[in-house]
Amino acid sequence: MLKKVITLLVVGFVIYYLLTAPEGAADAVSDASGAIMDAFEQIGIFFNELVQ
């Protein structure tokens, strides 16, 4: 029950944030996707160096 309440609060906060500050939300998503892409790039470099 507590997990469901916390999940609903988090989802509600995200929706509120998206509606009140769309530029900030877009920046946050852009930064997160950039970090994920950098992580995959570094993993690729690691495995490339392992093979050589």
Side-chain angles (χ1 to χ4, degrees):
M1 180 68 179
L2 181 61
K3 185 178 179 183
K4 184 183 269 189
V5 171
I6 291 173
T7 302
L8 287 174
L9 285 173
V10 169
V11 169
F13 176 74
V14 168
I15 291 171
Y16 173 77
Y17 183 65
L18 285 172
L19 293 176
T20 58
E23 296 88 12
D27 289 340
V29 170
S30 176
D31 291 344
S33 63
I36 292 170
M37 292 302 293
D38 288 343
F40 280 117
E41 182 180 350
Q42 294 302 319
I43 291 170
I45 291 171
F46 171 75
F47 281 114
N48 193 22
E49 291 295 322
L50 271 177
V51 174
Q52 291 180 0

